Amino acid sequence: MSSSPLSKKRRVSGSETNTGSHCSSANSVRTELSHTPANGMAKNGNEAEIDEGLYSRQLYVLGHEAMKRMQCSNVLISGMRGLGVEIAKNWRDLSSQFYLREEDLGKNRAETTQPRLAELNSYVPVAAYTGVLSEDYLAQFQVVVLTNSSLEEQLRIGDLCHSKGIKLIIAETRGLFGQLFCDFGEEMLVFDSNGEQPLSAMISMITKDSAGVVTCLDEARHGFESGDYVTFTEVQGMTELNGCQPLEIKVLGPYTFSICDTSSFTDYVRGGIVSQVKMPKRISFKNLSGSMADPEFLVTDFAKFDRPGQLHVGFQALHNFEKKHSRLPKPWSQADADEVLALTRTVNDGLSGSAKLEQLDEGLLKKLSFLSAGDLAPVNALIGGVAAQEVMKACTGKFMPIMQWLYYDALECLSEDEGVTLTEEECAPRNCRYDGQIAVFGSKMQELLGKQRYFLVGAGAIGCELLKNFAMIGLASAEGGEIIVTDMDTIEKSNLNRQFLFRPCDVTKMKSETAAAAVKQMNPAVRITGHQNRVGPDTERIYDDDFFEGLHGVANALDNVDARMYMDRRCVYYRKPLLESGTLGTKGNVQVVIPFLTESYSSSQDPPEKSIPICTLKNFPNAIEHTLQWARDEFEGLFKQPAENGMQYLTDPKFMERTLKLPGAQPLEVLEAVYKSLVTDCPKSWEDCVAWARNHWQCQYSNNIRQLLHNFPPEQLTSSGAPFWSGPKRCPHALEFDTNNELHMDYVVAAANLYAQTYGLEGSTDRAGVVRILESVKVPVFTPKSGVKIHVSDQELQSANSSVDDSRLEELKTLLPSSDNLSRFKLCAIEFEKDDDSNFHMDFIVAASNLRAENYDIPPADRHKSKLIAGKIIPAIATTTAAVVGLVCLELFKIVQGHTKLESFKNGFMNLALPFFAFSEPIAAPKHKYYEKEWTLWDRFEVKGLQSSGEEMTLKQFLDYFKNEHKLEITMLSQGVSMLYSFFMPQAKLKERLDLPMTEIVTKVSKKKLGKHVKALVFELCCNDDTDEDVEVPYVRYTIR
């Protein structure tokens, strides 16, 4: 809690909308990060340490410096309606304020909300304030956020904040409309405008010129832009550039750019790395009154380019209406809309400069009036998420702020029929929690929402936000409605900073059950069921035909492409709408998939991630990413795969047969590893584990490097006379082991403990004890050998892999002990887990990677960066999640109403760091044709397997059916990975299959029985038309029950 007492000067009913100069101040929440809570962020000097367990995913978005600046922030959020609490939560009366419950009606919003906000994060003291927003009170804050405030209040506080250097954000939502304004003062320093990792490239040439030209190695484009600043390291020859002050560049091509005058510098010899430098940028803001007269807009939708100017004047007219009548216009009231239009004309007539409009969009402004009393959770989520990100920018100087106005509308959510206008009666308040939504869509839509059955896949960050929005809009809150949420994960500490339905006491509980219970508290009427199942072929008995056919739609909240593509295929097959979304740091996207209208998620795919060549990893790393991937491979190859293979050898009689069938050198590699783990390297004690770790250290960081330098000495030349160790090949040096070197000891302690775990032995963290053991470890003397082949390229490696040492393979088969002799022997394979700091996993990765980096003179990475790269962590932040989910739920409104026009739907992309928004129509499902028949991915052939006689169709009848009914000759027929029929099939096999029922052929070929839950099979066809031309045709749904 904040140290300041709660002020009770003035109370306002949380269920009323009051006007006047203090309306917003009566519901204010203040958040501070300048205090240390009782559970203690330990302080270094006067600076609190950051809890990396809690904030790890957010740290990868903001960085340590920005997080430290946020720690010292003091923020006021005025107005605790849906939008205000959305902003506070990221950093709603019952229709959108998710921290108010029915028993809270009549209480002050701020005081009721404060304890529920405070429990989100014990590191953030939250205090409620219900007094006047006076100059003295405001002076203590770095940032003030106004929501639900009058224009007079905004202008008064705007002038005050601007003059005192307090950063101001104004956020408003009015039904399907949103407004955001930022004023961060006369001069603000932005330290990092986009949040991207600084780029770097290797240099192949630098010219001596009045504007020296730098040429990069042509392995990859440099990615720089003109105006970027760069600095240099490791340049040989032109050493004046090493460690120079940042230089501005001009891009000449994808591999070249020019820098400063290099004509007086020493001649360039070779090598060098050029690195981008983020330069602070100074920006200036107008105050609110100045910006109202001469606005600068951030366009959110280029299809609505002229709307910001219209809404800028319209919002002012709404304020004037509210001031005059002490209320907002009534929902869908024609009389009030006409008055708002007249007020807009008056406002516009009084304007001068760029804000003045030549012509008013009367239809748009009337809709603003119709909807202004509405309060929608998804719009609050979007505007609240964006506003919360602006608060972070104001506190930290990280990312580019909104300059200065953002206006948003989602009018596509209204009826597609332009002529349809709702009546005042349909949208009048019902004295229920959904009144803010009924004001926009009417009561019939509310009934439709209540009856929806939706499947939510995933209860992580996006899943939690979706569930909160579902509860607020009343999805599945009536008879017949249901939300089924499935997630097989348990809650971890690192989830808590963005998966806001979870609290510290929930750690280790199941996500889906906990989220379902939390949502029931927000809206007890929601009918929700939590499952703990992974979606995939293994759970098709649960999520079967009956399950999918009973759904209205699916929402994905997944974190991997494979699961997304699987759910996409299921939705296409069952013809269900799919709401797809994802985030990556400040970037977010939304895709809506509508049956028979749009393409599916799988229709377009991102290019595959670029993999690191094996030879680069094994012998020629040049970046920390290479050494970290090598360390991850080491982890798998030392502590997981040998134990797995060893246990399979001992328990699976067919292991040897399967292994010998593996391609290339794999059989030898696997059996060598099994022999080592069961015989030569099998430890009997902790001392043996320490000795193994010490010898493995010697092998990897000294012996192998010495062998590499024996094969390719530092002065080696290539066949063309160029230095071998140049460009991407960095010349390594061997390390000497030293018990006084902390990194060396980190490696031995972590490796020995992990090795002990795989054999079920007791480990130790006593470093002094480990040093004593090391004193008696004998390390064999190593002499580099001649005739050892080291592959320089992956092509060389592949051709070498085709030859196998058969004599060694036979020898290993006789040397391996029989599984009977080791029946009680147990090996435990270790699964890599990055988030447990006590398990030695990251200790090993960091030490292994940084030792190898030292071998090759690559700058090391700290634990935080190592975890990001080696753990393949996806950076995440609550602000982006909230904004993205807001957009998802706006698309849900359209689906529930049954929108059918492609232009009604919006796929969205955002990057809150830039800030940038882009919306587009979904891509229509591509059309194909055979004969004169058009079809898309949503079409299929429906074939009933059971005939009127009660017998099932045979393969011959199936082929004849397509020939007679569709004039198509099937040339190939498959089901999954099983080939059922092909024109080149041997005659004997064909004759045998032609008279068999289709299901019998499927079970015979796939060697799997068909489950009782399977009602239909999917067949893929290759066909020729009657001119013998190959034609593309839809798949077949073959019903068997």
Side-chain angles (χ1 to χ4, degrees):
M1 285 293 295
S2 160
S3 57
S4 61
L6 291 179
S7 166
K8 302 260 174 114
K9 290 177 190 168
R10 191 165 177 281
R11 299 179 65 92
V12 180
S13 164
S15 59
E16 291 173 10
T17 305
N18 284 37
T19 55
S21 63
H22 308 315
C23 75
S24 61
S25 55
N27 294 283
S28 302
V29 162
R30 139 195 198 166
T31 67
E32 303 175 59
L33 279 159
S34 49
H35 300 276
T36 302
N39 71 348
M41 276 166 109
K43 286 193 172 185
N44 290 334
N46 60 358
E47 194 177 84
E49 283 179 4
I50 295 164
D51 184 342
E52 292 196 6
L54 177 65
Y55 289 116
S56 66
R57 305 311 188 259
Q58 182 170 305
L59 271 166
Y60 295 123
V61 182
L62 295 175
H64 281 81
E65 286 308 309
M67 281 289 288
K68 283 171 185 168
R69 286 194 285 271
M70 266 176 63
Q71 278 183 354
C72 305
S73 303
N74 211 342
V75 180
L76 174 74
I77 299 167
S78 173
M80 279 292 109
R81 294 187 69 181
L83 179 58
V85 77
E86 184 67 59
I87 298 168
K89 175 270 289 179
N90 284 318
W91 214 102
R92 284 171 188 209
D93 309 337
L94 295 179
S95 64
S96 67
Q97 219 281 32
F98 43 85
Y99 285 144
L100 291 185
R101 298 166 191 162
E102 288 185 14
E103 63 267 26
D104 299 326
L105 292 173
K107 298 177 186 174
N108 177 271
R109 288 191 200 107
E111 291 174 348
T112 309
T113 302
Q114 180 270 328
R116 292 165 195 167
L117 268 175
E119 70 177 14
L120 272 177
N121 189 343
S122 58
Y123 291 152
V124 183
V126 180
Y129 176 74
T130 57
V132 176
L133 299 183
S134 64
E135 186 172 335
D136 288 347
Y137 182 71
L138 292 174
Q140 64 188 303
F141 298 101
Q142 281 87 38
V143 186
V144 170
V145 185
L146 297 181
T147 71
N148 190 40
S149 54
S150 68
L151 186 56
E152 285 88 348
E153 177 107 322
Q154 290 174 6
L155 288 164
R156 177 180 73 83
I157 292 173
D159 287 344
L160 180 67
C161 288
H162 196 81
S163 64
K164 298 279 184 190
I166 300 166
K167 296 175 175 70
L168 173 72
I169 296 167
I170 297 171
E172 293 289 347
T173 59
R174 296 277 175 243
L176 288 167
F177 296 90
Q179 177 197 53
L180 197 60
F181 169 77
C182 296
D183 169 14
F184 296 167
E186 296 284 348
E187 189 177 271
M188 181 193 180
L189 212 55
V190 175
F191 298 99
D192 178 358
S193 62
N194 62 12
E196 300 296 329
Q197 284 294 314
L199 300 167
S200 66
M202 285 180 281
I203 299 162
S204 64
M205 184 62 198
I206 307 172
T207 65
K208 289 176 74 170
D209 215 326
S210 56
V213 175
V214 180
T215 305
C216 300
L217 287 176
D218 59 4
E219 284 195 325
R221 293 162 177 257
H222 54 61
F224 299 133
E225 294 176 7
S226 292
D228 283 352
Y229 283 79
V230 299
T231 189
F232 295 82
T233 50
E234 300 183 25
V235 175
Q236 293 177 42
M238 202 178 278
T239 52
E240 294 90 339
L241 287 173
N242 288 333
C244 66
Q245 287 298 307
L247 301 172
E248 190 174 353
I249 67 166
K250 182 183 176 186
V251 170
L252 304 173
Y255 307 102
T256 54
F257 58 87
S258 63
I259 50 171
C260 60
D261 185 346
T262 56
S263 54
S264 61
F265 291 0
T266 322
D267 286 353
Y268 174 80
V269 176
R270 76 165 79 100
I273 295 169
V274 57
S275 303
Q276 186 183 28
V277 179
K278 297 281 182 98
M279 300 296 283
K281 201 172 185 178
R282 292 183 192 280
I283 52 174
S284 178
F285 294 79
K286 296 177 206 147
N287 66 4
L288 177 60
S289 53
S291 187
M292 280 179 73
D294 187 16
E296 189 179 340
F297 300 120
L298 172 69
V299 178
T300 55
D301 189 341
F302 288 94
K304 304 173 178 179
F305 196 78
D306 57 340
R307 285 198 187 170
Q310 299 282 339
L311 295 174
H312 186 66
V313 182
F315 266 82
Q316 292 176 54
L318 276 185
H319 279 295
N320 291 350
F321 183 99
E322 194 172 1
K323 184 183 178 184
K324 182 178 174 184
H325 296 282
S326 297
R327 66 170 175 82
L328 285 163
K330 289 176 189 167
W332 294 90
S333 162
Q334 290 290 348
D336 284 0
D338 290 339
E339 187 175 346
V340 168
L341 196 55
L343 286 167
T344 310
R345 287 197 190 95
T346 307
V347 170
N348 192 47
D349 291 343
L351 291 172
S352 59
S354 64
K356 187 166 183 138
L357 299 169
E358 286 182 22
Q359 193 174 353
L360 296 180
D361 182 339
E362 295 188 2
L364 175 69
L365 294 163
K366 276 193 163 188
K367 280 177 181 158
L368 176 61
S369 173
F370 289 156
L371 308 179
S372 61
D375 190 16
L376 298 177
V379 180
N380 287 335
L382 171 62
I383 301 298
V386 177
Q389 189 67 60
E390 296 306 302
V391 173
M392 290 184 190
K393 294 174 187 180
C395 295
T396 64
K398 177 100 175 183
F399 311 139
M400 185 59 69
I402 287 171
M403 301 292 290
Q404 285 186 251
W405 293 94
L406 175 148
Y407 286 97
Y408 172 80
D409 77 81
L411 291 179
E412 302 81 16
C413 293
L414 296 176
S415 171
E416 286 184 311
D417 189 344
E418 276 297 316
V420 171
T421 306
L422 293 168
T423 63
E424 282 187 62
E425 292 73 42
E426 285 176 280
C427 303
R430 304 293 197 272
N431 202 21
C432 75
R433 67 178 301 139
Y434 308 115
D435 278 353
Q437 198 161 278
I438 290 169
V440 176
F441 296 116
S443 53
K444 285 178 186 164
M445 166 73 162
Q446 203 55 53
E447 288 168 22
L448 276 174
L449 281 164
K451 293 173 183 170
Q452 295 294 301
R453 279 180 58 82
Y454 257 76
F455 186 29
L456 172 59
V457 190
I462 287 177
C464 282
E465 285 289 338
L466 279 167
L467 284 173
K468 176 259 288 181
N469 277 275
F470 289 171
M472 291 297 96
I473 67 176
L475 191 78
S477 59
E479 190 71 41
E482 188 182 14
I483 299 165
I484 303 99
V485 55
T486 189
D487 195 311
M488 72 283 184
D489 281 352
T490 54
I491 298 160
E492 298 171 7
K493 186 182 178 184
S494 66
N495 301 151
L496 299 179
N497 86 309
R498 67 196 184 286
Q499 300 179 15
F500 90 111
L501 296 180
F502 308 141
R503 301 291 176 269
C505 61
D506 296 325
V507 170
T508 73
K509 293 180 187 173
M510 296 305 299
K511 283 185 176 181
S512 55
E513 286 178 358
T514 311
V519 161
K520 287 286 280 183
Q521 282 213 312
M522 287 181 180
N523 184 352
V526 168
R527 294 152 194 254
I528 184 166
T529 310
H531 290 183
Q532 290 84 48
N533 304 315
R534 183 193 299 273
V535 290
D538 297 345
T539 52
E540 285 178 10
R541 289 173 183 278
I542 301 159
Y543 305 124
D544 56 10
D545 291 5
D546 291 340
F547 174 82
F548 270 96
E549 283 160 11
L551 295 176
H552 289 99
V554 175
N556 273 353
L558 290 158
D559 61 359
N560 69 88
V561 171
D562 290 341
R564 283 182 165 110
M565 289 180 77
Y566 172 79
M567 284 310 299
D568 180 62
R569 289 195 298 274
R570 298 295 273 171
C571 288
V572 169
Y573 178 71
Y574 291 107
R575 294 163 165 176
K576 299 295 175 186
L578 172 66
L579 292 161
E580 174 57 64
S581 57
T583 69
L584 177 67
T586 58
K587 302 182 186 90
N589 73 287
V590 176
Q591 182 180 354
V592 58
V593 177
I594 306 294
F596 301 105
L597 195 63
T598 72
E599 68 172 13
S600 76
Y601 172 79
S602 310
S603 299
S604 52
Q605 289 174 38
D606 293 332
E609 279 184 40
K610 201 174 178 187
S611 59
I612 305 165
I614 295 167
C615 288
T616 300
L617 289 176
K618 286 183 84 164
N619 300 310
F620 309 115
N622 58 55
I624 199 69
E625 287 79 5
H626 301 160
T627 65
L628 280 162
Q629 183 59 54
W630 178 87
R632 276 288 277 114
D633 293 347
E634 273 279 279
F635 187 98
E636 300 289 312
L638 294 173
F639 312 121
K640 185 181 179 216
Q641 285 157 1
E644 280 180 350
N645 290 335
M647 284 311 290
Q648 280 180 17
Y649 170 75
L650 296 174
T651 58
D652 183 353
K654 291 194 173 176
F655 173 74
M656 186 65 85
E657 182 190 325
R658 258 199 336 270
T659 302
L660 293 173
K661 285 180 184 171
L662 291 170
Q666 285 182 46
L668 189 60
E669 286 170 6
V670 170
L671 294 184
E672 285 281 17
V674 169
Y675 183 62
K676 273 185 174 181
S677 56
L678 296 181
V679 183
T680 56
D681 290 355
C682 181
K684 303 286 186 292
S685 64
W686 167 241
E687 288 74 14
D688 287 352
C689 295
V690 173
W692 171 86
R694 170 66 185 88
N695 278 302
H696 195 70
W697 187 101
Q698 191 69 22
C699 177
Q700 296 294 43
Y701 303 110
S702 179
N703 300 354
N704 288 355
I705 300 295
R706 286 165 63 197
Q707 181 66 55
L708 181 63
L709 290 171
H710 176 79
N711 281 38
F712 307 108
E715 64 283 354
Q716 172 107 2
L717 300 176
T718 65
S719 55
S720 63
F724 177 84
W725 294 106
S726 64
K729 291 189 178 72
R730 300 173 71 87
C731 186
H733 65 274
L735 305 182
E736 289 296 323
F737 188 80
D738 181 358
T739 52
N740 295 315
N741 186 312
E742 204 162 312
L743 189 61
H744 297 192
M745 287 301 294
D746 285 347
Y747 180 91
V748 170
V749 170
N753 272 284
L754 289 166
Y755 204 63
Q757 281 175 36
T758 60
Y759 288 91
L761 298 170
E762 190 73 33
S764 168
T765 54
D766 174 13
R767 288 171 92 97
V770 172
V771 170
R772 285 194 296 276
I773 296 167
L774 286 170
E775 285 167 1
S776 58
V777 172
K778 289 182 172 60
V779 179
V781 176
F782 175 79
T783 308
K785 302 179 186 69
S786 295
V788 173
K789 178 69 178 163
I790 294 177
H791 305 292
V792 177
S793 70
D794 282 12
Q795 288 87 344
E796 256 186 46
L797 181 67
Q798 280 171 348
S799 54
N801 272 348
S802 55
S803 58
V804 180
D805 184 353
D806 288 335
S807 59
R808 177 60 180 161
L809 204 56
E810 290 306 313
E811 187 184 2
L812 279 170
K813 281 157 75 174
T814 56
L815 286 172
L816 278 165
S818 83
S819 51
D820 301 341
N821 299 343
L822 296 167
S823 56
R824 291 186 182 176
F825 194 82
K826 282 271 190 297
L827 283 167
C828 173
I830 300 176
E831 289 287 342
F832 178 65
E833 169 48 60
K834 60 190 174 294
D835 284 321
D836 179 355
D837 284 338
S838 65
N839 64 8
F840 300 103
H841 297 197
M842 278 311 301
D843 297 335
F844 176 82
I845 296 291
V846 174
S849 169
N850 284 342
L851 284 164
R852 189 159 175 84
E854 193 181 332
N855 277 139
Y856 287 87
D857 294 308
I858 296 166
D862 62 13
R863 189 185 187 91
H864 179 69
K865 184 177 178 181
S866 299
K867 190 192 277 194
L868 170 73
I869 298 167
K872 294 183 167 62
I873 288 174
I874 296 173
I877 193 163
T879 50
T880 317
T881 310
V884 159
V885 167
L887 293 176
V888 170
C889 291
L890 290 169
E891 297 308 303
L892 173 64
F893 284 147
K894 300 170 191 177
I895 292 170
V896 171
Q897 289 175 87
H899 282 17
T900 56
K901 293 177 183 171
L902 197 66
E903 60 268 24
S904 298
F905 296 95
K906 294 272 185 185
N907 286 348
F909 173 79
M910 66 177 71
N911 185 343
L912 298 184
L914 295 177
F916 173 78
F917 298 85
F919 294 97
S920 63
E921 277 179 22
I923 296 171
K927 289 181 178 170
H928 310 275
K929 218 175 185 184
Y930 68 93
Y931 297 125
E932 291 306 305
K933 190 161 181 64
E934 275 193 343
W935 63 277
T936 72
L937 63 101
W938 298 99
D939 295 301
R940 60 190 177 211
F941 294 113
E942 295 280 0
V943 178
K944 287 185 178 171
L946 281 178
Q947 297 172 74
S948 50
S949 61
E951 290 187 1
E952 197 201 333
M953 198 180 259
T954 63
L955 174 58
K956 184 177 186 312
Q957 289 168 327
F958 185 87
L959 298 174
D960 289 345
Y961 169 82
F962 272 87
K963 199 155 196 172
N964 300 331
E965 292 292 320
H966 300 288
K967 298 194 181 78
L968 293 169
E969 186 179 346
I970 295 175
T971 54
M972 278 193 280
L973 171 66
S974 61
Q975 191 261 336
V977 293
S978 305
M979 180 65 75
L980 309 181
Y981 164 80
S982 67
F983 69 92
F984 50 79
M985 195 176 266
Q987 278 301 312
K989 193 184 271 188
L990 177 58
K991 192 177 177 190
E992 180 195 333
R993 287 190 188 176
L994 277 174
D995 294 325
L996 290 177
M998 296 295 287
T999 51
E1000 200 174 315
I1001 299 171
V1002 169
T1003 49
K1004 194 174 179 180
V1005 177
S1006 67
K1007 298 185 174 64
K1008 288 178 189 167
K1009 283 186 178 176
L1010 292 178
K1012 288 180 182 174
H1013 64 285
V1014 178
K1015 286 185 176 179
L1017 296 170
V1018 171
F1019 296 142
E1020 300 286 347
L1021 309 175
C1022 289
C1023 293
N1024 288 348
D1025 62 14
D1026 52 14
T1027 65
D1028 229 19
E1029 286 295 313
D1030 186 29
V1031 286
E1032 202 176 343
V1033 295
Y1035 70 93
V1036 177
R1037 182 172 184 264
Y1038 179 82
T1039 19
I1040 55 174
R1041 290 192 176 89

